[in-house]
Amino acid sequence: MALSKLLCFFVYFAGQMIDGMANSFFKFKQFTIHQERSAMRVGTDGVLLGAWSRVEKSNRILDIGTGTGLIAIMAAQRSLARIDAVELDFGAASEAAFNVSLSPWKDRITVYCMDFCRFYDKTTKPVYHHILSNPPYFIDSLLPPDGKRERARHTGTLDYEVLFEGAFYLLLPDGKLSLVSPADLQEHLIFIASLYGFYPVRFTYVSGISGKAPKRLLSEWSRARRPLEENAFSIEKRGEGYTLEYIMLTRDFYLKM
């Protein structure tokens, strides 16, 4: 169910008092992300996906595994869409709802605290033009020790097959699914996508430092087969700071870009 504003404020401030933590937040140009309660804090992956995804013409957007709500809020800044954000962890969902409530786009974003697998079924009517997700990374590794961060990052909770299956039922026929993942999972993603009739339409390979192998893959998928767009960029140029490509991509968000 959607979290009420009263509930999210209560959980957020109660958590603050219980933990006795100092304020922990990340300030962007048009919004602030509080991240005391979420297992996954603001990181480069989420910012990359939120800035890279082509959401401008979308009317309905879904953010799966929203965490702090970062990607959903970035999508709201870049579009006029109504946005739903799903998060399993109650603390993270509460904090996402709190962050949304402080943003300029609070009337267009709804946070749901629930398992994504219960968000849809085979009778679900497709309504979304675009689905976004910064999903877990652990594919072949042993299950890490129990804990919020490990659960948030482990595909035992939210795996790629679940994402593509959900996209199959929730996306409109011309809808798109955009993901950020480790670059070495490209072939795995292509295989899983093919099981649900999705084709890659855009790949961007991201390396941390120029000259190094890509560490991240930004990918866009569709059920309509189109020529694949491929490009690459680095976040930093050794000894020279951020690259022009990274600055141009993120300048609407980072304060010092």
Side-chain angles (χ1 to χ4, degrees):
M1 60 182 293
L3 291 172
S4 68
K5 291 183 179 179
L6 178 62
L7 179 60
C8 79
F9 273 95
F10 172 78
V11 172
Y12 181 79
F13 286 113
Q16 285 282 83
M17 291 186 289
I18 291 172
D19 291 345
M21 297 175 64
N23 286 338
S24 178
F25 59 88
F26 198 105
K27 189 170 180 59
F28 292 89
K29 286 182 177 177
Q30 296 191 45
F31 60 90
T32 298
I33 296 294
H34 294 265
Q35 50 188 3
E36 292 90 345
R37 312 300 300 165
S38 178
M40 300 311 302
R41 298 192 170 199
V42 171
T44 302
D45 289 358
V47 174
L48 283 171
L49 182 64
W52 176 86
S53 301
R54 291 172 174 167
V55 299
E56 294 86 351
K57 296 181 180 180
S58 300
N59 293 324
R60 291 288 304 277
I61 296 172
L62 174 64
D63 176 21
I64 303 171
T66 196
T68 60
L70 170 65
I71 293 172
I73 294 172
M74 291 180 72
Q77 179 178 325
R78 299 181 56 226
S79 72
L80 297 176
R82 290 172 53 200
I83 300 168
D84 293 330
V86 180
E87 172 56 48
L88 174 63
D89 182 80
F90 184 74
S94 301
E95 191 158 57
F98 179 78
N99 288 328
V100 166
S101 73
L102 298 180
S103 79
W105 312 283
K106 60 184 178 182
D107 294 334
R108 292 197 282 116
I109 306 173
T110 303
V111 177
Y112 295 86
C113 182
M114 63 188 304
D115 187 338
F116 176 60
C117 292
R118 297 189 176 187
F119 192 75
Y120 70 94
D121 59 34
K122 294 181 179 180
T123 65
T124 301
K125 181 180 179 180
V127 296
Y128 296 104
H129 297 92
H130 209 139
I131 293 177
L132 311 173
S133 187
N134 174 15
Y137 293 161
F138 299 96
I139 297 294
D140 297 320
S141 61
L142 295 175
L143 188 69
D146 188 33
K148 287 201 299 182
R149 182 177 179 86
E150 286 74 14
R151 182 176 64 177
R153 303 304 288 178
H154 201 285
T155 52
T157 299
L158 178 63
D159 63 28
Y160 293 104
E161 187 163 358
V162 169
L163 288 174
F164 279 102
E165 180 186 73
F168 178 83
Y169 289 111
L170 292 167
L171 278 176
L172 292 165
D174 59 347
K176 299 177 290 186
L177 170 66
S178 292
L179 306 172
V180 57
S181 64
D184 60 7
L185 292 184
Q186 178 175 331
E187 293 304 316
H188 176 76
L189 289 174
I190 291 173
F191 172 72
I192 296 297
S194 69
L195 300 179
Y196 294 93
F198 282 89
Y199 302 97
V201 295
R202 189 161 61 121
F203 283 158
T204 296
Y205 306 92
V206 184
S207 56
I209 300 176
S210 58
K212 296 290 186 179
K215 293 294 186 181
R216 292 291 179 263
L217 172 67
L218 294 164
S219 60
E220 181 182 305
W221 308 82
S222 171
R223 279 174 286 188
R225 190 192 293 268
R226 298 198 296 269
L228 176 63
E229 299 178 42
E230 291 185 278
N231 56 44
F233 71 88
S234 301
I235 293 175
E236 294 185 52
K237 190 172 183 179
R238 191 182 300 276
E240 298 183 23
Y242 293 126
T243 62
L244 179 60
E245 293 92 340
Y246 185 65
I247 292 172
M248 294 297 291
L249 182 66
T250 61
R251 63 180 180 176
D252 289 339
F253 300 99
Y254 284 134
L255 286 174
K256 296 183 179 181
M257 288 297 190

